[in-house]
């Protein structure tokens, strides 16, 4: 089943075209990795899926993005969309609040006030983000006291607490050490049972390890998209092969 | 090797400057406190002033200063913070925004006597309130709004954008993001703004001469009728503050101990500012810690 379908998507920052005629679809409960050199539009692309680009002045978007067949720019309310499509950023960005309040932030803004319900959601989300055992004794300490890797898993837990359907991850491990990276990768592996995940990465091995599908971006275009094995071992396009084998980028 | 020499010279320079500054401040503060030491007692702090004889206190003036501070903060903090939030979060870059910013900057360097005369014209005369606490509070609001606005704007701008993005990405509205994430994160800076504002309220004389007035009715603290001129709750009574009183006693005081009164009042004013600063800092940081969980 197609969770997300993108059709003929163009995006302009003022006069600069950052995405050119992108056509891409994402299977439900799979992991799609977006690879490509810096500045090729990967981050810009995932930010069109939860309309984060709306926040940037002078962005113009043509084309359609469908979530479960609904046009996210026309038929879905942006608040509702961001509830359904969560996002984890490149640099861990926990709020300067307690661990608990970070995770409870989403449910609270969506109107959940019941203490018991909140406690349950916080525990469930932290467990799902494989962080519960490390923080259960300091839920009411500042999130900024956690290590970088823990902070990033906290951000994942915070996203999960809103109960999204899709999770976008923008180079979630690029600021982390190898052990934290491994934990996040294991987590992605688990999460895909329940969620559809799109992950931007600069790390070829990571794309190979965690993803079912891979899309290769170059200068704002999708050069190739397909099952990860095929894109990695049997690329159809010469440019994909050059990039994967490390000839550029 | 030259760079090392320059590094040494710079280090020495900064140490010398800092030392000079600290020595200067400490001697100034100790001088003021030393001069006023004989008057730092409960009687001086609570009794009303006398005009022709020895032994007057500063009770009403001290109380007026504190009341004026509270009233002014109640008026100016919401407006200044609101304006700061508007400038930082809502205003689009453009001509209008630039004009507002330029006006705010110009206003913030306006001489306080000019603001005082504006207050006289608008809040004293046009409203028909006469010399009154409320006229003084509104004048001080005009005086302080630019600083409050500017400081709020700066501290809100210094909140990293990644926090706003995180909030939006969870489906928060702009208002929720501002109230729950941005303002709390900017709190330390906002507190600094309030402290700066409060310091000016305590210390301001020129803007109050013709607005809050140069006299104070004897206050009756058991009088809770806001319409009565001797009630501390009456915002429409003249309310001479400590700073104004110091100026008045110094320039036209008829009491034989006018000099000692001025010295004592100066010491009290200094201590008040100090106490308020410490209190505001403590309150601000405990508020911040409660919100951030850094306990």
């Amino acid at each position: 089943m197609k969770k997300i379908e993108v059709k003929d998507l163009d995006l302009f920052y003022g006069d600069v075209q950052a995405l050119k005629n992108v056509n891409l679809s994402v299977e439900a409960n799979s992991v799609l990795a977006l690879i490509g050199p810096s500045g090729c539009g990967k981050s810009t692309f995932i930010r069109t899926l939860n309309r984060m680009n709306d926040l940037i002045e002078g962005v113009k978007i043509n084309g359609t993005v469908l979530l479960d067949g609904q046009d996210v720019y026309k038929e879905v309310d942006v608040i509702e969309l961001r509830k359904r499509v969560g996002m984890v950023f490149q640099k861990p960005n926990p709020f300067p609040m307690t661990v608990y309040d970070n995770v409870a932030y989403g449910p609270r803004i969506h109107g959940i006030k019941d203490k018991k319900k909140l406690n349950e959601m916080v525990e469930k989300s932290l467990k799902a983000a494989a962080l519960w055992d490390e923080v259960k004794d300091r839920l009411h300490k500042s999130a900024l006291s956690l290590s970088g890797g823990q902070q990033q898993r906290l951000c994942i837990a915070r996203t999960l607490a809103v109960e999204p359907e899709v999770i976008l991850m923008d180079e979630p491990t690029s600021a982390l050490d190898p052990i934290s990276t491994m934990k996040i990768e294991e987590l992605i592996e688990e999460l895909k049972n329940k969620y559809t995940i799109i992950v931007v990465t600069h790390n070829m091995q990571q794309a190979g390890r965690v993803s079912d599908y891979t899309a290769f971006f170059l200068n704002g275009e999708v050069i190739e998209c397909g099952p990860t094995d095929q894109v990695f071992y049997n690329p159809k396009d010469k440019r994909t092969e050059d990039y994967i084998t490390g000839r550029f980028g | 090797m030259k760079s090392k020499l320059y590094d040494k010279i710079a280090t020495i320079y900064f140490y010398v400057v800092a030392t000079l500054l600290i020595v200067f401040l400490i001697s100034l503060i100790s001088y003021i406190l030393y001069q006023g030491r004989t008057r730092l007692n409960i009687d001086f702090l609570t009794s009303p002033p006398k005009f022709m004889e020895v032994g007057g206190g500063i009770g009403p003036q001290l109380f007026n200063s504190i009341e004026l501070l509270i009233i002014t903060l109640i008026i100016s903090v919401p407006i200044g913070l609101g304006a700061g939030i508007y400038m930082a979060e809502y205003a689009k870059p453009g001509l209008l925004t630039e004009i507002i910013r330029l006006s705010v900057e110009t206003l913030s360097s306006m001489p306080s006597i000019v603001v005082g005369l504006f207050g006289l014209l608008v809040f004293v005369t046009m409203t028909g309130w006469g010399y009154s606490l409320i006229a003084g509070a509104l004048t001080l609001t005009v005086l302080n709004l630019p600083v409050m606005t500017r400081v709020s704007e700066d501290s809100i701008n210094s909140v990293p954008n990644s926090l706003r993005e995180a909030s939006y990405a969870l489906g928060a509205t702009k208002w929720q993001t501002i109230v729950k994430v941005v303002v709390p994160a900017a709190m330390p800076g906002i507190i600094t703004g309030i402290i700066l504002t409060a310091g000016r309220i305590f210390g301001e004389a020129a803007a109050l001469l013709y607005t809050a007035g140069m006299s104070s009715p004897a206050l009756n603290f058991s009088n809770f009728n806001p319409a009565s001129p001797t009630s501390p709750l009456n915002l429409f009574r003249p309310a001479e503050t400590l700073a104004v009183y110091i100026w008045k006693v110094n320039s036209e005081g008829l009491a034989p101990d006018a000099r000692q009164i001025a010295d004592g009042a100066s010491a009290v004013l200094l201590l008040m500012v100090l106490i308020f600063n410490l209190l505001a800092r403590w309150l601000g940081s405990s508020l911040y810690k409660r919100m951030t969980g850094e306990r």
Side-chain angles (χ1 to χ4, degrees):
Chain A
M1 200 189 83
K2 301 262 185 275
K3 187 71 187 171
I4 293 177
E5 275 186 277
V6 177
K7 290 177 190 163
D8 307 327
L9 186 74
D10 293 320
L11 183 143
F12 301 84
Y13 290 122
D15 296 331
V16 183
Q17 186 163 11
L19 293 175
K20 293 169 198 157
N21 196 32
V22 173
N23 283 282
L24 204 63
S25 57
V26 190
E27 291 289 323
N29 295 42
S30 71
V31 179
L32 169 68
L34 306 181
I35 60 171
S38 297
C40 66
K42 308 178 299 278
S43 296
T44 303
F45 173 72
I46 65 165
R47 294 168 67 98
T48 60
L49 303 180
N50 65 344
R51 292 180 57 180
M52 286 302 276
N53 286 325
D54 289 16
L55 304 173
I56 302 169
E57 203 104 340
V59 168
K60 222 183 90 210
I61 295 168
N62 298 323
T64 45
V65 177
L66 303 178
L67 174 68
D68 289 332
Q70 281 183 306
D71 188 332
V72 303
Y73 283 90
K74 293 191 182 116
E75 294 169 300
V76 185
D77 173 58
V78 67
I79 302 291
E80 186 60 29
L81 171 72
R82 290 183 188 148
K83 254 172 92 173
R84 290 170 64 189
V85 182
M87 186 165 203
V88 177
F89 295 82
Q90 183 171 359
K91 257 176 68 188
N93 56 354
F95 299 127
M97 309 170 182
T98 63
V99 171
Y100 183 97
D101 287 339
N102 261 279
V103 183
Y105 183 84
R108 277 181 180 146
I109 58 172
H110 296 301
I112 293 175
K113 291 203 179 90
D114 182 49
K115 260 246 157 78
K116 234 181 91 197
K117 185 95 198 283
L118 280 173
N119 288 343
E120 276 169 25
M121 291 180 97
V122 168
E123 182 173 343
K124 199 176 111 192
S125 308
L126 284 169
K127 277 181 175 159
L131 190 59
W132 175 253
D133 290 329
E134 292 162 58
V135 300
K136 63 175 182 238
D137 300 321
R138 42 179 174 154
L139 288 177
H140 299 286
K141 292 265 162 57
S142 170
L144 303 179
S145 66
L146 303 180
S147 75
Q150 289 173 326
Q151 288 188 8
Q152 193 62 305
R153 275 178 287 149
L154 178 67
C155 292
I156 294 175
R158 183 174 67 185
T159 304
L160 297 179
V162 185
E163 300 180 326
E165 298 156 27
V166 179
I167 302 174
L168 310 172
M169 297 186 177
D170 189 357
E171 298 186 44
T173 61
S174 67
L176 303 182
D177 62 88
I179 292 176
S180 304
T181 300
M182 202 178 75
K183 285 188 178 161
I184 304 257
E185 286 182 9
E186 286 169 6
L187 189 57
I188 293 175
E189 197 64 38
E190 281 219 1
L191 293 174
K192 79 172 184 192
N193 296 320
K194 284 182 71 182
Y195 308 93
T196 305
I197 297 173
I198 303 178
V199 52
V200 170
T201 179
H202 263 125
N203 181 328
M204 286 308 123
Q205 284 87 12
Q206 183 170 67
R209 281 191 300 262
V210 302
S211 69
D212 305 308
Y213 299 90
T214 296
F216 173 56
F217 275 71
L218 191 62
N219 299 329
E221 286 176 272
V222 178
I223 302 299
E224 188 162 352
C225 180
T228 298
D229 283 349
Q230 185 208 309
V231 174
F232 269 64
Y233 299 114
N234 201 4
K236 291 185 188 125
D237 196 293
K238 180 80 169 59
R239 289 170 291 181
T240 315
E241 192 185 333
D242 286 351
Y243 182 71
I244 284 168
T245 53
R247 240 165 276 171
F248 75 95
Chain B
M1 280 308 96
K2 248 184 171 172
S3 54
K4 267 193 177 163
L5 178 70
Y6 288 145
D7 186 57
K8 266 221 169 78
I9 293 173
T11 310
I12 292 170
Y13 172 75
F14 290 126
Y15 270 99
V16 169
V17 169
T19 315
L20 282 177
L21 189 69
I22 291 165
V23 167
F24 173 69
L25 285 176
I26 288 179
S27 46
L28 193 66
I29 291 172
S30 0
Y31 177 77
I32 293 172
L33 291 180
Y34 180 77
Q35 290 291 313
R37 74 193 182 287
T38 53
R39 299 291 171 134
L40 293 177
N41 55 57
I42 292 293
D43 192 45
F44 181 68
L45 294 181
T46 52
S47 59
K50 291 175 180 162
F51 293 104
M52 308 292 277
E53 48 198 307
V54 178
I58 53 164
Q61 284 77 13
L62 181 59
F63 179 81
N64 287 341
S65 281
I66 298 170
E67 189 173 1
L68 192 67
L69 171 77
I70 295 169
I71 304 285
T72 308
L73 287 181
I74 289 175
I75 302 173
S76 58
V77 169
I79 302 177
L81 186 56
I85 291 174
Y86 169 80
M87 292 298 285
E89 297 284 329
Y90 290 89
K92 299 220 158 48
L95 190 64
L96 181 69
T97 308
E98 277 317 301
I99 291 173
I100 296 176
R101 193 163 284 135
L102 190 71
S103 312
V104 167
E105 268 162 30
T106 312
L107 272 177
S108 70
S109 51
M110 192 133 89
S112 52
I113 185 70
V114 176
V115 178
L117 291 172
F118 170 79
L120 173 67
L121 208 64
V122 177
F123 303 123
V124 175
T125 312
M126 274 169 66
T127 56
W129 292 335
Y131 295 147
S132 59
L133 192 91
I134 188 75
L138 289 169
T139 307
L140 288 181
T141 300
V142 172
L143 188 70
N144 282 316
L145 265 184
V147 176
M148 191 65 214
T149 303
R150 190 56 203 261
V151 174
S152 309
E153 183 189 349
D154 285 349
S155 46
I156 284 168
N157 271 331
S158 71
V159 174
N161 224 1
S162 62
L163 294 184
R164 293 186 185 85
E165 286 198 326
S167 175
Y168 289 132
L170 291 165
T173 61
K174 187 161 190 159
W175 174 239
Q176 287 170 326
T177 303
I178 290 172
V179 173
K180 292 176 182 249
V181 176
V182 178
V183 171
M187 198 47 93
I190 293 169
I191 296 283
T192 307
I194 294 175
I195 290 177
L196 286 176
T197 310
R200 282 180 80 179
I201 296 172
F202 272 132
E204 187 54 51
L208 293 173
L209 294 176
Y210 305 114
T211 51
M214 283 183 275
S215 65
S216 179
L219 294 173
N220 175 1
F221 287 94
S222 54
N223 183 348
F224 294 105
N225 173 11
S228 154
T230 61
S231 166
L233 295 181
N234 186 346
L235 298 183
F236 296 92
R237 64 183 156 86
E240 182 183 39
T241 66
L242 214 46
V244 172
Y245 186 59
I246 291 170
W247 175 82
K248 197 175 79 178
V249 162
N250 252 328
S251 55
E252 56 192 45
L254 295 176
D257 59 346
R259 176 66 205 273
Q260 281 79 6
I261 293 174
D263 286 347
S266 304
V268 171
L269 193 59
L270 190 74
L271 288 173
M272 291 292 302
V273 172
L274 189 69
I275 291 170
F276 179 83
N277 282 7
L278 292 175
L279 216 67
R281 261 170 220 285
W282 171 79
L283 198 76
S285 75
S286 62
L287 197 74
Y288 186 70
K289 277 179 192 157
R290 243 189 61 189
M291 285 186 300
T292 57
E294 279 174 33
R295 254 182 297 202

